[in-house]
Amino acid sequence: MYDYIVIGAGVMGSSTAYALAKEGKKVLLLEQFPIPHTRGSSHGASRITRTAYPEEFNGSIMAVANSMWKDLEKEAETTLFKHTGLLCTTSTLHKELVDTQKTLQRYNTGPVPIIDSAEISKRYPLMSYPKEEKACFDSSAGILYADKCVMAFQRMFQKRGGEVIDMCKVQHVTPGDVVTVHTDKGDFQAKGLVITCGAWSSEILSDLGISLPLQVMAIQVCYWKARNGVDHSSLPLFISLDEISDIYGMPTSEYDGLMKICLHYGVLCAGPDMRDNTDSKAEAKNLKMLTEFVASTFPYLVPEPAIKERCMYTVTPDNQFIVDHHPIHRNIVFGAGFSGRLVY
């Protein structure tokens, strides 16, 4: 019997399994797909990590997380983070920008001024914003190499004696002082259970009498080519905090010479296994908005995506994540709705 079983081997499940193994626990990590895979939300070469959140509690989490990433890099003997800085922008002096500035000033060293579009253009001539644009800069932010991060957690977890079984679909959970996880590869038992399976969380939790307000969205991940080979690699990461055009981007690690620029939302789908069956008109509308943003803000990029890929978000109504335990079976813990929070 195990001390803990963790369901879902994305970045949240793999990091949880690793943390439990570091505490000397006997842990089993289950994943329904082959490892690695592209069906969830943890694949790809790059994610934004930042302290720049309007909510102070997210800033406090990142203050701890940043040092933990350094510890993992050292233990795994691999580079997981590239420091770039992050530009947060809004079309006006939006409350979210002011609150983000407060978070940064609390958890980053030194003052964090609000700058205008003229200063943005002075610092970053390849970017062009309207006259009314305001921004602040997160000096701590950077790119996490997503695939490498997940693999590092799994490798260090196994090095500490942890077990991983992939292509193992959970069919049912029987709660109790000893939790039994029934799968298509047999039954497994543990003193505790952690459920971190992203868009599939609702399937397992509903079987345990828990209904979470999770929504699954199909996201278009777009990569944009530079005109005449203009080098954009020195640009910082950026995030627009405007509700109408919630857009983020970065010089890409996936494809040489391309910029990754995406909407921070997508089109709702009926479930995680239906992500390829979405409203094509809604996707076209989103892509049009994104294309117009690229054309106006990045004059040295071709305003048509060179590559389009698919990802998946699992979100809550207020876009905050959920971490809790079962109200009756307190040895069952779950986490969900992390998409776009803590990492992009």
Side-chain angles (χ1 to χ4, degrees):
M1 185 170 67
Y2 299 92
D3 292 316
Y4 289 94
I5 294 172
V6 180
I7 302 174
V11 68
M12 295 303 174
S14 297
S15 60
T16 300
Y18 162 75
L20 289 169
K22 281 184 73 174
E23 294 181 359
K25 305 301 182 183
K26 184 180 180 182
V27 184
L28 173 64
L29 178 61
L30 299 178
E31 170 56 49
Q32 65 174 323
F33 297 115
I35 294 176
H37 66 87
T38 60
R39 293 298 302 173
S41 303
S42 296
H43 64 279
S46 59
R47 294 291 190 278
I48 292 174
T49 182
R50 55 183 171 128
T51 307
Y53 286 97
E55 310 89 5
E56 188 178 303
F57 68 85
N58 277 325
S60 68
I61 291 172
M62 294 312 301
V64 177
N66 290 338
S67 63
M68 294 175 73
W69 284 118
K70 292 177 183 177
D71 292 342
L72 181 62
E73 280 188 315
K74 185 176 180 181
E75 182 180 350
E77 297 181 333
T78 187
T79 300
L80 303 174
F81 173 77
K82 179 182 178 181
H83 182 247
T84 60
L86 168 74
L87 190 70
C88 300
T89 71
T90 59
S91 57
T92 60
L93 194 57
H94 197 281
K95 180 181 184 298
E96 197 160 329
L97 183 67
V98 174
D99 289 343
T100 297
Q101 179 193 33
K102 291 177 182 177
T103 300
L104 288 172
Q105 290 185 149
R106 175 160 186 173
Y107 293 104
N108 283 358
T109 57
V112 180
I114 300 290
I115 62 175
D116 58 19
S117 62
E119 181 62 25
I120 297 173
S121 297
K122 181 179 177 182
R123 296 185 187 186
Y124 312 111
L126 298 181
M127 304 174 78
S128 176
Y129 282 99
K131 184 183 299 184
E132 63 272 14
E133 199 79 13
K134 305 294 182 185
C136 64
F137 191 76
D138 179 355
S139 61
S140 70
I143 295 172
L144 286 170
Y145 301 128
D147 286 335
K148 290 177 66 177
C149 290
V150 176
M151 287 188 289
F153 279 129
Q154 292 172 359
R155 186 159 51 88
M156 294 301 100
F157 166 64
Q158 291 175 296
K159 186 177 179 180
R160 293 173 179 272
E163 297 180 45
V164 180
I165 303 177
D166 65 352
M167 299 181 68
C168 183
K169 176 73 172 178
V170 173
Q171 298 170 330
H172 177 62
V173 173
T174 302
D177 292 338
V178 174
V179 182
T180 303
V181 179
H182 308 274
T183 80
D184 58 3
K185 288 191 174 181
D187 297 346
F188 304 95
Q189 292 187 316
K191 299 172 186 176
L193 174 67
V194 182
I195 300 168
T196 53
C197 46
W200 288 268
S201 297
S202 293
E203 293 181 14
I204 296 174
L205 290 170
S206 62
D207 193 39
L208 293 166
I210 296 175
S211 177
L212 297 183
L214 299 177
Q215 296 180 321
V216 180
M217 291 193 296
I219 306 294
Q220 294 184 88
V221 182
C222 297
Y223 301 86
W224 310 76
K225 185 178 181 180
R227 297 180 190 272
N228 303 317
V230 175
D231 185 8
H232 288 70
S233 62
S234 62
L235 288 179
L237 317 176
F238 73 89
I239 294 175
S240 167
L241 299 176
D242 290 330
E243 294 178 3
I244 297 176
S245 58
D246 198 355
I247 296 171
Y248 71 95
M250 67 191 84
T252 183
S253 302
E254 286 89 336
Y255 304 104
D256 287 343
L258 302 187
M259 282 281 290
K260 179 179 180 179
I261 303 175
C262 314
L263 283 171
H264 184 40
Y265 57 86
V267 178
L268 291 175
C269 46
D273 297 314
M274 301 289 290
R275 71 172 191 172
D276 296 323
N277 299 322
T278 56
D279 184 340
S280 59
K281 290 184 178 179
E283 287 201 331
K285 181 180 178 182
N286 286 348
L287 184 58
K288 182 175 183 292
M289 180 189 300
L290 186 60
T291 300
E292 290 172 351
F293 172 86
V294 170
S296 64
T297 309
F298 291 89
Y300 297 98
L301 292 180
V302 177
E304 180 179 346
I307 297 173
K308 290 190 290 183
E309 296 177 342
R310 181 80 74 177
C311 190
M312 189 161 56
Y313 272 18
T314 308
V315 298
T316 61
D318 65 357
N319 290 314
Q320 301 297 338
F321 56 85
I322 299 170
V323 176
D324 207 346
H325 54 72
H326 194 285
I328 299 173
H329 308 290
R330 299 179 73 86
N331 58 342
I332 297 178
V333 176
F334 53 88
F338 293 102
S339 298
R341 312 308 297 180
L342 309 185
V343 292
Y344 261 25

